[in-house]
């Protein structure tokens, strides 16, 4: 298997009333090839973050199976995760936060330095997160995710709450880093326009209990994805796009 295979029969959480269980994912199946950029969109609260947590192994209480691609020469997959919040430890510098995810930081020094330079953070590597802007912290989180050279990268609305200009700069940064170091990406977003701008394919999830209601290949050439008119035209062709939030492109 070259990519990832996901087959979630069911995922339940305790009901808010305290009685019984509430199903949040139902018969949710998909796959992604190695090096593919797959965006996942759907209504707010439908279980997108829950899905990523299952794939990451942070939540094992579900029915089904997730088959991860094995890292080169290893029996397990190397996974990077970029959360909605950058989750940088405030008492550690940018460089120290990146080193936390590396088994042997010294062996990755050249890679980390290159990533920091590409992200415009080389001069801030010894700064603490409290001295950085939110955009800079999100850039640091992207660098941290790519530093271990993962063969699967999970991203949970990494550009949420940013202004449009900063978000677009970070999208372009993400694409540059990913294209230079291809890895399978599962990118959760509430913004269908953002999904079209970034992804090779888009999975549209239903409301809770979430299942896949559309699997769409993005056919717009990447060099033309700055064209808002093309993005809007493609958006209108996606089934069930009404279930997602408005485009911020």
């Amino acid at each position: 298997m070259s990519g990832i295979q996901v087959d979630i029969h069911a995922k339940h959480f305790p009901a808010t009333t305290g009685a019984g269980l509430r199903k949040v994912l139902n018969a949710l199946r998909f796959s992604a090839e190695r090096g593919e950029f797959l965006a996942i969109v759907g209504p707010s609260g439908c279980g997108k973050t829950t899905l990523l947590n299952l794939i990451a192994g942070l939540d094992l209480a579900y029915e089904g199976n997730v088959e991860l691609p094995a890292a080169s020469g290893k029996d397990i997959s190397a996974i990077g995760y970029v959360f909605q919040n950058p989750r940088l430890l405030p008492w550690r510098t940018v460089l120290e936060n990146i080193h936390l995810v590396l088994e042997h930081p010294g062996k990755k020094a050249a890679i980390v330095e290159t990533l920091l330079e590409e992200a415009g953070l080389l001069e801030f590597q010894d700064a603490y997160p409290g001295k950085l802007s939110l955009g800079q912290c999100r850039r640091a989180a992207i660098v941290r995710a790519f530093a271990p050279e993962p063969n699967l990268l999970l991203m949970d609305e990494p550009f949420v709450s940013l202004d449009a200009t900063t978000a677009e700069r970070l999208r372009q940064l993400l694409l540059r880093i990913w294209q230079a170091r291809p890895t399978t990406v599962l990118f959760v977003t509430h913004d269908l326009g953002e999904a079209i701008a970034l992804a090779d394919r888009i999975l549209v999830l239903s409301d809770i209990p979430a299942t896949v209601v559309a699997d769409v290949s993005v056919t717009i050439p990447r060099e033309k994805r700055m064209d808002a008119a093309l993005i809007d035209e493609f958006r209108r062709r996606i089934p069930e796009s009404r279930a997602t939030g408005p485009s911020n492109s």
Side-chain angles (χ1 to χ4, degrees):
M1 181 186 64
S2 61
I4 178 174
Q5 303 264 0
V6 176
D7 185 1
I8 307 297
H9 302 161
K11 167 62 183 176
H12 295 85
F13 282 124
T16 54
T17 60
L21 297 173
R22 185 187 189 204
K23 182 182 284 189
V24 293
L25 302 178
N26 178 55
L28 199 161
R29 302 179 181 90
F30 67 90
S31 63
E33 295 301 318
R34 186 179 298 277
E36 187 173 22
F37 198 124
L38 182 65
I40 301 172
V41 302
S44 178
C46 75
K48 299 185 294 294
T49 296
T50 296
L51 173 61
L52 288 193
N53 287 340
L54 300 188
I55 294 171
L58 301 178
D59 184 350
L60 301 177
Y62 66 94
E63 301 170 38
N65 187 50
V66 175
E67 295 184 37
L68 300 174
S72 178
K74 300 181 180 180
D75 295 328
I76 60 174
S77 178
I79 299 176
Y81 204 145
V82 180
F83 300 89
Q84 292 181 22
N85 183 302
R87 297 196 181 187
L88 301 177
L89 297 181
W91 58 87
R92 292 183 181 270
T93 66
V94 168
L95 187 59
E96 289 169 343
N97 269 280
I98 295 168
H99 283 173
L100 286 174
V101 303
L102 301 176
E103 187 175 358
H104 302 291
K107 295 181 179 180
K108 300 285 188 178
I111 294 172
V112 171
E113 182 176 356
T114 299
L115 286 168
L116 285 170
E117 185 173 11
E118 290 177 1
L121 291 174
L122 195 57
E123 62 182 296
F124 299 102
Q125 63 180 325
D126 296 321
Y128 290 93
K131 299 296 183 181
L132 304 179
S133 68
L134 178 58
Q136 288 172 320
C137 287
R138 292 195 185 280
R139 278 186 269 160
I142 292 173
V143 169
R144 182 177 59 187
F146 274 96
E149 298 181 285
N151 57 324
L152 176 63
L153 178 59
L154 308 176
M155 307 190 76
D156 187 8
E157 298 196 58
F159 309 136
V160 68
S161 75
L162 293 174
D163 64 85
T165 300
T166 301
E168 180 56 30
R169 287 174 180 168
L170 289 186
R171 290 185 198 109
Q172 295 306 314
L173 171 65
L174 170 61
L175 284 176
R176 288 196 301 272
I177 293 177
W178 170 70
Q179 288 170 336
R181 302 163 185 80
T183 187
T184 305
V185 177
L186 302 185
F187 185 96
V188 161
T189 177
H190 67 282
D191 180 352
L192 187 53
E194 179 174 66
I196 296 168
L198 291 173
D200 297 311
R201 281 170 53 219
I202 299 173
L203 292 184
V204 182
L205 304 188
S206 69
D207 206 345
I208 195 168
T211 191
V212 176
V213 294
D215 185 339
V216 182
S217 295
V218 181
T219 55
I220 304 173
R222 287 198 173 274
E223 65 271 16
K224 295 184 178 180
R225 295 195 196 182
M226 296 294 289
D227 188 325
L230 285 178
I231 295 289
D232 287 341
E233 179 185 356
F234 192 86
R235 174 191 174 88
R236 289 192 292 270
R237 304 206 309 263
I238 295 180
E240 299 296 330
S241 62
R242 62 184 181 278
T244 65
S247 170
N248 293 329
S249 299

